[in-house]
Amino acid sequence: FGEGYPLHLAKVAPLDDFLSTWRVDWRGSAADQVMVRYALQDEEDIAASAVERAIGSATQRQASRNRLHAVVGSWNRVISPASLNVLSASVSTFRNAIAPTVIAPQLTFPSLQDGSSFRVPQGTDQTRFQLANTWSLVTGPHMLRVGGEWQRVDGKFDLGVFQSGRIELVQDFPAFDANGD
């Protein structure tokens, strides 16, 4: 923004997103191959909240923080030249928190919104466990594959909406006394 704009309207909206993946492969023998992979995402950002009007002020921003950790492992075992077993397991965690950047009631005018969004704070915590096994057999021109998978997801959703309140206004900044009082 140029000169003449209030300082609070010229705030930046940063996004810091760190991603990392590590992988290790190990061949224990001619029949065994093991793989382990770890992934991490560490993200923080400030962005506009959902705006129901044409314009949202700088106070309509929200701060988000996301953390993801995931570990996946697999073991491939060649049982015979025609038979293969694949066992895999994973665990992942996801943590998300969204908070207002300003604590104030949301003011909703016909053309703009001001104050903190009534939709925050909120957060999500999720932990997922997975276990899968697949056995394959090739016999001539045919292939038989049998397997199964188990998953467990533990989740929690924190919804702290409407903490600062919301005020609906019926007109934008009047320059005159509409009802004559």
Side-chain angles (χ1 to χ4, degrees), residues 89-105:
S90 70
V91 62
S92 63
T93 60
F94 173 71
R95 305 289 182 258
N96 164 263
I98 304 171
T101 57
V102 173
I103 305 297

Side-chain angles (χ1 to χ4, degrees), residues 2 37 40 64 67 79 83-84 86 91 125 134 150 155 170 176 178:
R37 183 183 72 222
L40 160 72
S64 298
R67 301 285 180 275
I79 299 168
S83 179
L84 172 69
V86 178
V91 62
D125 287 343
T134 304
W150 169 84
V170 295
F176 60 92

Side-chain angles (χ1 to χ4, degrees), residues 5 15 21 25 43 45 54 65 70-71 78 85 89 92 95 123 133 151 159 161 164 169 172:
Y5 283 91
L15 167 64
T21 302
D25 290 286
E43 174 199 5
D45 74 29
R65 185 171 188 174
V71 178
V78 177
N85 194 74
S92 63
R95 305 289 182 258
N133 193 67
Q151 287 190 40
L159 196 57
V161 299
S164 293
L169 298 137
D172 290 325

Side-chain angles (χ1 to χ4, degrees), residues 74-135:
S74 68
W75 173 31
N76 296 352
R77 170 82 173 160
V78 177
I79 299 168
S80 73
S83 179
L84 172 69
N85 194 74
V86 178
L87 175 66
S88 62
S90 70
V91 62
S92 63
T93 60
F94 173 71
R95 305 289 182 258
N96 164 263
I98 304 171
T101 57
V102 173
I103 305 297
Q106 178 175 316
L107 303 175
T108 306
F109 293 91
S111 349
L112 71 99
Q113 285 179 196
D114 189 41
S116 63
S117 172
F118 70 90
R119 294 176 180 87
V120 290
Q122 57 180 282
T124 304
D125 287 343
Q126 185 182 74
T127 303
R128 176 185 300 264
F129 302 95
Q130 285 181 271
L131 186 61
N133 193 67
T134 304
W135 174 71

Side-chain angles (χ1 to χ4, degrees), residues 32-46:
D32 297 296
Q33 183 173 344
V34 176
M35 180 278 300
V36 177
R37 183 183 72 222
Y38 170 74
L40 160 72
Q41 179 178 15
D42 186 356
E43 174 199 5
E44 291 187 36
D45 74 29
I46 295 178

